[in-house]
Each structure stands twice: as structure tokens, then as C-alpha cells.
Amino acid sequence: MTTNAARTVFLLAHTGRPAAIRSAELVVQGLLRNGLGVRVLATEAADLPLPASVETVTDATPEVLNGCELLIVLGGDGTLLRGAELSRASGVPMLGVNLGRVGFLAEAERDDLDKVVDRVVTRAYTVEERMTIDVLVHSNGEVVHTDWALNEAAVQKVSPERMLEVVLEIDGRPVTGFGCDGIVCATPTGSTAYAFSAGGPVVWPEVEALLMVPISAHALFAKPLVTSPTSVLAVEVQPHTPHGVLWCDGRRTVELPSGARVEVRRGAVPVRLARLHQASFTDRLVAKFALPVSGWRGAPH
């Protein structure tokens, strides 16, 4: 049933979790109570006790967000990245509510649902753009695959018993080569995801940069690299090495033939994130990782 409400919000949830089902119920009830229309995927609606006034759509394509002012995503990092795919393709801002473990992409936690509804109803949120990366895979001089990522593009080995032999390149010039388990090319947003686990630096989101982080490299010089946002990063898989695999945001994958070349550059299309808080990224970092800050006295007055 299609609502006649002038404002419509799309809701995406990980309905495999009981917490997400209850959270979705509360958000939908709050939005409807304030006169907003709600749209959900039919596959998720089947798992949710929703009133008949909620609109359902069948295909999870960017077009399902037509006419929506906001995409609210309830879930962990995987669900938030699924929402980011729809957000980027449609241009509709995404507001994430973390129901998982860390959730750096989320703007709110499970206990903030009332606040989320209130801020959406009153339009008390801002929208910021997050850098993405565009990815090209070359083989035998031809582009054989194109992709993108919000967090990272990871070139990884397939065979557990053999390393992937690669040469790294920045802006058309070789940097170094070694055997490794893989290479992560990340955005500042992705610096707290896979790149962080691989030993890369934490980069504040407002910093415009690209990261290249080796995974378990067998080399003396295999440090994380931080480059200009206009740089072009390249990972060349050596012809004599076993084939590798490319993962984008841990969601989309393609096999890489031996000798493949993966190029990463700043993405042409950003992801738009709705923000409820003006708190600094420093505070978010401390909260997400439960960092010890006892004894801090602050700047001298």
C-alpha cells in the first residue's frame, strides 16, 4: 500500500537479528506516528510486524529510494555497507543505527532510537560526504572489471600455502615488491576497518587521503603508505604467482588472474551520511574502542 505522506523514509534492517526486528518496529511506529511515510523491502517486511500503511517494494535497486529523503539502516557493519551501496547509487543520505559490535559508519546506537526518530521528524540532522574509491582491474592490457568501495579494496591471496607476489606503484612509479597475504587500499573512512586490522593508521574522516596497507608482508620495508587523494595506487600481481582475488568492502569479489593489475583512485561519487551529532571523531574513536583516558586533565587554562 502506498502512503500519501509528503515525506518518505526508507528503512533497511538486518531482520535476521531479533534486536533489529524490535528496533525496526520502534522506528516505524515513531515515524508513522509523526506523519512520515515508510518504505521497506518486501523480503524484510515478511519478517517484520508492520502496519498496512508501510509501503513495500520488491527489488533492492537504487530506484526503490526514489522520492525518499533518507535511508535509515539498522544493523552491523555488513548491513551498513549494504545500505551504502544503495545510498551512493541513489544520492539519498544514509543514517546508520549500530546493532553490531563497532559500527564506525553508524551515527547512533540501539539505545538512541527515540532520538533518531525525533531528529528525522524535525530534520535536525546534517549531511556530510565521504570519499569513495574507484577500482579498475586490468589484464593483458584490457580493463576486465570495474568496482568501487567506501572502506577498502583488498587484493588477497587465494592459496593459504603460497604468498601473493606483488609490486606496489604510486602515481605511475614503482615503490617496492614482496610476497604477502594481500594489500589493502583504503579511504579514511576505511582506515578503522580492514586497514586498521592490518596495522594501518587511523585517519580522521575529514582528511583527504588514500591508504595502502600490506597484509603479512615478507619484507623489511612493508610499511603502510598514506598518499595524496589525487594519487593513483596500483597493485601488480606478478605473472609467476598464483592468482589472487579482489574484495571491495568485503561484499563484492572477483578473481584476479596472474599478472593482473589493480588500480585504485579517488571515487567520482561519494557516499552521503546523515549526522546527528557534532561530536569530534576523537570522542567517537575513544568510545568505539573503549580507549583508556583516565587521568586526562585537558589543556591548561
PDB file of all heavy atoms in Angstrom, residues 43 58 93 115 118 168 230 244 260 264 266 271 275:
ATOM      1  N   THR A  43      11.111  -8.437   1.150  1.00  0.00           N
ATOM      2  CA  THR A  43      11.755  -9.577   1.804  1.00  0.00           C
ATOM      3  C   THR A  43      11.960  -9.330   3.290  1.00  0.00           C
ATOM      4  O   THR A  43      11.901 -10.261   4.096  1.00  0.00           O
ATOM      5  CB  THR A  43      13.112  -9.875   1.145  1.00  0.00           C
ATOM      6  OG1 THR A  43      13.883  -8.654   1.090  1.00  0.00           O
ATOM      7  CG2 THR A  43      12.916 -10.419  -0.268  1.00  0.00           C
ATOM      8  N   THR A  58       9.836  -4.603  -4.088  1.00  0.00           N
ATOM      9  CA  THR A  58      10.398  -5.949  -4.261  1.00  0.00           C
ATOM     10  C   THR A  58      11.887  -5.960  -4.574  1.00  0.00           C
ATOM     11  O   THR A  58      12.625  -6.793  -4.055  1.00  0.00           O
ATOM     12  CB  THR A  58       9.651  -6.694  -5.383  1.00  0.00           C
ATOM     13  OG1 THR A  58       9.692  -5.899  -6.581  1.00  0.00           O
ATOM     14  CG2 THR A  58       8.197  -6.926  -4.989  1.00  0.00           C
ATOM     15  N   PRO A  93      20.863  10.325   1.446  1.00  0.00           N
ATOM     16  CA  PRO A  93      21.742  10.182   2.607  1.00  0.00           C
ATOM     17  C   PRO A  93      21.370   8.963   3.450  1.00  0.00           C
ATOM     18  O   PRO A  93      20.190   8.616   3.578  1.00  0.00           O
ATOM     19  CB  PRO A  93      21.518  11.472   3.397  1.00  0.00           C
ATOM     20  CG  PRO A  93      20.913  12.425   2.425  1.00  0.00           C
ATOM     21  CD  PRO A  93      20.137  11.606   1.456  1.00  0.00           C
ATOM     22  N   LYS A 115      15.681   9.235  19.896  1.00  0.00           N
ATOM     23  CA  LYS A 115      16.369  10.429  19.412  1.00  0.00           C
ATOM     24  C   LYS A 115      16.466  10.414  17.889  1.00  0.00           C
ATOM     25  O   LYS A 115      16.305  11.450  17.235  1.00  0.00           O
ATOM     26  CB  LYS A 115      17.767  10.510  20.027  1.00  0.00           C
ATOM     27  CG  LYS A 115      18.555  11.739  19.620  1.00  0.00           C
ATOM     28  CD  LYS A 115      19.991  11.674  20.119  1.00  0.00           C
ATOM     29  CE  LYS A 115      20.041  11.690  21.623  1.00  0.00           C
ATOM     30  NZ  LYS A 115      21.458  11.721  22.118  1.00  0.00           N
ATOM     31  N   ASP A 118      13.118  11.419  16.451  1.00  0.00           N
ATOM     32  CA  ASP A 118      12.870  12.844  16.683  1.00  0.00           C
ATOM     33  C   ASP A 118      13.697  13.708  15.743  1.00  0.00           C
ATOM     34  O   ASP A 118      13.178  14.681  15.158  1.00  0.00           O
ATOM     35  CB  ASP A 118      13.195  13.195  18.137  1.00  0.00           C
ATOM     36  CG  ASP A 118      12.974  14.664  18.437  1.00  0.00           C
ATOM     37  OD1 ASP A 118      11.809  15.098  18.425  1.00  0.00           O
ATOM     38  OD2 ASP A 118      13.974  15.389  18.673  1.00  0.00           O
ATOM     39  N   LEU A 168      54.098  -2.800  -5.768  1.00  0.00           N
ATOM     40  CA  LEU A 168      53.257  -1.641  -5.483  1.00  0.00           C
ATOM     41  C   LEU A 168      53.725  -0.442  -6.289  1.00  0.00           C
ATOM     42  O   LEU A 168      54.926  -0.241  -6.489  1.00  0.00           O
ATOM     43  CB  LEU A 168      53.303  -1.304  -3.988  1.00  0.00           C
ATOM     44  CG  LEU A 168      53.023  -2.441  -3.011  1.00  0.00           C
ATOM     45  CD1 LEU A 168      52.976  -1.906  -1.592  1.00  0.00           C
ATOM     46  CD2 LEU A 168      51.730  -3.155  -3.373  1.00  0.00           C
ATOM     47  N   THR A 230      44.698  12.645  -4.813  1.00  0.00           N
ATOM     48  CA  THR A 230      44.740  12.632  -6.276  1.00  0.00           C
ATOM     49  C   THR A 230      45.664  11.548  -6.817  1.00  0.00           C
ATOM     50  O   THR A 230      45.787  11.388  -8.027  1.00  0.00           O
ATOM     51  CB  THR A 230      45.206  13.998  -6.809  1.00  0.00           C
ATOM     52  OG1 THR A 230      46.517  14.278  -6.301  1.00  0.00           O
ATOM     53  CG2 THR A 230      44.252  15.107  -6.372  1.00  0.00           C
ATOM     54  N   GLY A 244      45.092 -14.205  -7.556  1.00  0.00           N
ATOM     55  CA  GLY A 244      44.564 -13.631  -6.327  1.00  0.00           C
ATOM     56  C   GLY A 244      43.083 -13.356  -6.452  1.00  0.00           C
ATOM     57  O   GLY A 244      42.409 -13.812  -7.392  1.00  0.00           O
ATOM     58  N   ALA A 260      47.550  -9.755 -13.212  1.00  0.00           N
ATOM     59  CA  ALA A 260      46.536  -8.690 -13.172  1.00  0.00           C
ATOM     60  C   ALA A 260      47.098  -7.436 -12.519  1.00  0.00           C
ATOM     61  O   ALA A 260      48.016  -7.485 -11.693  1.00  0.00           O
ATOM     62  CB  ALA A 260      45.302  -9.168 -12.420  1.00  0.00           C
ATOM     63  N   VAL A 264      43.615   1.871  -8.150  1.00  0.00           N
ATOM     64  CA  VAL A 264      42.682   2.481  -7.208  1.00  0.00           C
ATOM     65  C   VAL A 264      42.891   3.986  -7.224  1.00  0.00           C
ATOM     66  O   VAL A 264      44.024   4.470  -7.102  1.00  0.00           O
ATOM     67  CB  VAL A 264      42.898   1.931  -5.783  1.00  0.00           C
ATOM     68  CG1 VAL A 264      42.029   2.679  -4.781  1.00  0.00           C
ATOM     69  CG2 VAL A 264      42.595   0.439  -5.729  1.00  0.00           C
ATOM     70  N   ARG A 266      40.667   7.994  -6.312  1.00  0.00           N
ATOM     71  CA  ARG A 266      39.527   8.619  -5.637  1.00  0.00           C
ATOM     72  C   ARG A 266      38.260   8.424  -6.451  1.00  0.00           C
ATOM     73  O   ARG A 266      38.239   8.609  -7.663  1.00  0.00           O
ATOM     74  CB  ARG A 266      39.792  10.106  -5.440  1.00  0.00           C
ATOM     75  CG  ARG A 266      38.658  10.826  -4.722  1.00  0.00           C
ATOM     76  CD  ARG A 266      38.977  12.272  -4.481  1.00  0.00           C
ATOM     77  NE  ARG A 266      37.975  12.893  -3.634  1.00  0.00           N
ATOM     78  CZ  ARG A 266      38.190  13.965  -2.885  1.00  0.00           C
ATOM     79  NH1 ARG A 266      39.379  14.530  -2.892  1.00  0.00           N
ATOM     80  NH2 ARG A 266      37.238  14.461  -2.131  1.00  0.00           N
ATOM     81  N   VAL A 271      29.696   8.835  -0.851  1.00  0.00           N
ATOM     82  CA  VAL A 271      28.543   8.348  -0.091  1.00  0.00           C
ATOM     83  C   VAL A 271      28.137   9.453   0.872  1.00  0.00           C
ATOM     84  O   VAL A 271      28.982  10.023   1.570  1.00  0.00           O
ATOM     85  CB  VAL A 271      28.879   7.057   0.687  1.00  0.00           C
ATOM     86  CG1 VAL A 271      27.754   6.701   1.667  1.00  0.00           C
ATOM     87  CG2 VAL A 271      29.093   5.901  -0.283  1.00  0.00           C
ATOM     88  N   ARG A 275      24.254  13.001   9.705  1.00  0.00           N
ATOM     89  CA  ARG A 275      24.902  13.143  11.008  1.00  0.00           C
ATOM     90  C   ARG A 275      23.932  13.754  12.004  1.00  0.00           C
ATOM     91  O   ARG A 275      23.275  14.762  11.714  1.00  0.00           O
ATOM     92  CB  ARG A 275      26.138  14.040  10.897  1.00  0.00           C
ATOM     93  CG  ARG A 275      27.240  13.511   9.986  1.00  0.00           C
ATOM     94  CD  ARG A 275      27.917  12.292  10.549  1.00  0.00           C
ATOM     95  NE  ARG A 275      28.340  12.487  11.924  1.00  0.00           N
ATOM     96  CZ  ARG A 275      29.505  13.038  12.288  1.00  0.00           C
ATOM     97  NH1 ARG A 275      30.361  13.451  11.348  1.00  0.00           N
ATOM     98  NH2 ARG A 275      29.815  13.169  13.560  1.00  0.00           N
TER      99      ARG A 275
END
